[in-house]
Amino acid sequence: MCYGRCARSIGHCLIWLAVLSIVANILLYFPNGETKYATENLLSRFVWFFAGILGGGLLILLPAFVFIGLEEDDCCGCCGHENCGKRCSMLSSGLMATIGILGSGYCIIVAALGLAEGPRCLNSLGQWNYTFASTEGQYLLDTSTWSQCVEPKHIVEWNVTLFSILLALGGIEFILCLVQVINGVLGGICGYCCSRQQVRTWNIPVPAYNYSLPLLRCNLYILLLLICKTLY
């Protein structure tokens, strides 16, 4: 297994996930494509925590570019050993993956809190508040209560959909970064790419055939025959 190739694949996946997280977070600021709710600060407070832009976005892009940079199989090495430098790069990629774990974890927590509290909306009494905050997330299972939010229109569906997307994207990013931590540690211990084994030529000395041994045996045999003939 090539650990460097695995890290690059994870990096490419993380870039797309980070872009989707940023887009989902930006859409939360514009319910139904309208900007007045953001300018008048009438959105859910968790929208302003930048879960998708910061946590699932920028903090994921940083390690992702590091993983993709491992494609440059060019490394100066250390102490005269080229493979040592590649091991260090794999270990450093594992450390960078921890940044992605923190970012994706932040995205997951904020998205979950945003889902549990619900959107800020104008209720049937003409008040702007968190209508579903007291339900502890139970409103998610009872869609008939969503009509309590009068304005913005379909704000519950908007928030639930986008926060759910952020929650799912953050979960996938968390798993991929965790895999890269393990991959980086194994790559640092086992080597950059275990399939690239150096071929070593062993010079096994071949003993020369000693032609004097048969001649010595023959002489001993003749000597024994002479001794026996003399005795008998």
Side-chain angles (χ1 to χ4, degrees), residues 25 28 44-52 55 103-117 163 166-167:
N25 198 158
L28 281 170
S44 170
R45 58 177 177 172
F46 291 107
V47 173
W48 303 101
F49 283 23
F50 306 107
S104 59
Y106 175 76
C107 181
I108 292 172
I109 293 173
V110 173
L113 292 175
L115 282 173
E117 187 176 60
F163 273 125
L166 287 176
L167 185 64

Side-chain angles (χ1 to χ4, degrees), residues 29-221:
Y29 295 103
F30 310 106
N32 303 318
E34 300 180 22
T35 61
K36 65 177 183 178
Y37 302 107
T39 55
E40 296 175 5
N41 194 21
L42 296 176
L43 299 175
S44 170
R45 58 177 177 172
F46 291 107
V47 173
W48 303 101
F49 283 23
F50 306 107
I53 296 176
L54 179 61
L58 298 180
L59 291 180
I60 293 296
L61 288 175
L62 181 61
F65 286 126
V66 173
F67 303 158
I68 295 175
L70 294 174
E71 188 172 1
E72 304 292 336
D73 293 342
D74 184 14
C75 193
C76 60
C78 58
C79 301
H81 301 283
E82 181 182 359
N83 194 44
C84 177
K86 294 180 178 180
R87 291 173 186 264
C88 292
S89 66
M90 287 302 299
L91 287 174
S92 64
S93 71
L95 293 176
M96 290 298 297
T98 58
I99 298 178
I101 290 178
L102 294 176
S104 59
Y106 175 76
C107 181
I108 292 172
I109 293 173
V110 173
L113 292 175
L115 282 173
E117 187 176 60
R120 185 182 182 188
C121 63
L122 180 67
N123 59 20
S124 57
L125 300 177
Q127 298 176 344
W128 285 90
N129 57 17
Y130 294 93
T131 306
F132 307 106
S134 60
T135 64
E136 298 181 352
Q138 295 298 321
Y139 77 98
L140 296 170
L141 304 177
D142 188 5
T143 57
S144 62
T145 60
W146 293 5
S147 59
Q148 296 178 18
C149 281
V150 179
E151 189 182 354
K153 293 182 179 180
H154 308 293
I155 185 60
V156 181
E157 293 87 339
W158 188 267
N159 269 33
V160 169
T161 300
L162 293 176
F163 273 125
S164 297
I165 291 174
L166 287 176
L167 185 64
L169 293 175
I172 298 173
E173 290 170 347
F174 186 89
I175 294 173
L176 289 178
C177 290
L178 184 61
V179 169
Q180 178 53 32
V181 169
I182 300 173
N183 181 60
V185 172
L186 292 178
I189 296 175
C190 300
Y192 181 74
C193 188
C194 288
S195 62
R196 299 179 181 177
Q197 296 178 349
Q198 296 180 349
V199 180
R200 298 180 179 179
T201 304
W202 298 91
N203 296 322
I204 301 176
V206 179
Y209 186 73
N210 193 351
Y211 294 97
S212 61
L213 290 177
L215 182 61
L216 179 60
R217 292 174 183 173
C218 183
N219 292 334
L220 290 174
Y221 181 70

Side-chain angles (χ1 to χ4, degrees), residues 10-41:
I10 292 175
H12 287 293
C13 292
L14 287 176
I15 286 180
W16 287 108
L17 292 172
V19 171
L20 292 175
S21 294
I22 293 174
V23 172
N25 198 158
I26 293 175
L27 289 176
L28 281 170
Y29 295 103
F30 310 106
N32 303 318
E34 300 180 22
T35 61
K36 65 177 183 178
Y37 302 107
T39 55
E40 296 175 5
N41 194 21

